[in-house]
Amino acid sequence: MSDEYLRIFKALWTQDPVSYHGAFYRFDSVRCLPHPVQKPHPPIWVGGHSKVALRRVARLGDGWHPVGANPAVPLRPAELRASLDELYRLTEAEKRDPSKLTISYKAPLYDTGQGVDGGAERRPFSGSQQEITDDIATYARLGVSELIFDFRSESLAQSLERMERFVPILRHTA
């Protein structure tokens, strides 16, 4: 169903009128005006890092946005590299250019480096300013061009404190 939604959006954003006859949705002569300014249409970033999400990106997406904050699958660099390899393979199988995909990543900031399962392995985007700077560089080398940092905390004051602690990192990586 999601794939059909994306195909419908693309058609509505680029054609007038639009008829669509898929497995789940059917309509004739629908208009959606004005068309978006972005051509051929606004970029479509597909979220998630399941096999289904990777196939959807390869077929229909302009970008991939896995969420690194998922405790079940935190997408450490080696895991992200494996997923990117699979994504690029699937994209090429769809006769599309993987280099045209935008790779985004939601990077949660942690106050401590303790692993997700309570283990000793440091979580990415935790620890010292240098460790976080190194993490940014590591993800960039993997192909991530957009990092979305999550500063949320239990209170506004804590969120603002996280943002303030992050300013020197931004100055160093800019």
Side-chain angles (χ1 to χ4, degrees), residues 37-60:
V37 173
Q38 294 162 301
K39 301 297 178 202
H41 51 74
I44 296 171
W45 288 10
V46 176
H49 48 281
S50 67
K51 290 182 188 284
V52 172
L54 292 175
R55 286 192 302 265
R56 184 168 294 126
V57 176
R59 273 194 306 273
L60 301 165

Side-chain angles (χ1 to χ4, degrees), residues 45 61 75 79 109 128-129 135:
W45 288 10
L75 278 183
E79 296 159 337
L109 294 176
S128 71
Q129 289 181 359
D135 290 337

Side-chain angles (χ1 to χ4, degrees), residues 69-84:
N70 182 345
V73 188
L75 278 183
R76 296 182 190 284
E79 296 159 337
L80 180 63
R81 173 79 274 148
S83 292
L84 284 166

Side-chain angles (χ1 to χ4, degrees), residues 72-172:
V73 188
L75 278 183
R76 296 182 190 284
E79 296 159 337
L80 180 63
R81 173 79 274 148
S83 292
L84 284 166
D85 289 345
E86 177 68 2
L87 173 61
Y88 297 155
R89 185 189 66 72
L90 292 168
T91 304
E92 288 171 349
E94 292 289 332
K95 309 249 186 292
R96 297 183 64 213
D97 182 356
S99 71
K100 302 286 185 197
L101 295 174
T102 298
I103 307 300
S104 175
Y105 185 84
K106 181 179 179 185
L109 294 176
Y110 297 103
D111 293 325
T112 68
Q114 186 176 25
V116 173
D117 60 358
E121 185 179 358
R122 185 182 67 82
R123 292 191 265 196
F125 308 103
S126 68
S128 71
Q129 289 181 359
Q130 187 58 54
E131 287 171 316
I132 294 171
T133 299
D134 292 346
D135 290 337
I136 292 169
T138 296
Y139 281 78
R141 280 192 302 277
L142 290 172
V144 173
S145 62
E146 307 289 328
L147 280 171
I148 299 171
F149 291 100
D150 187 351
F151 295 100
R152 286 178 294 172
S153 192
E154 292 183 22
S155 72
L156 176 59
Q158 287 176 322
S159 295
L160 291 172
E161 181 184 327
R162 282 182 175 178
M163 288 180 200
E164 288 173 12
R165 279 195 332 246
F166 198 73
V167 169
I169 295 168
L170 288 177
R171 286 188 182 129
H172 182 73

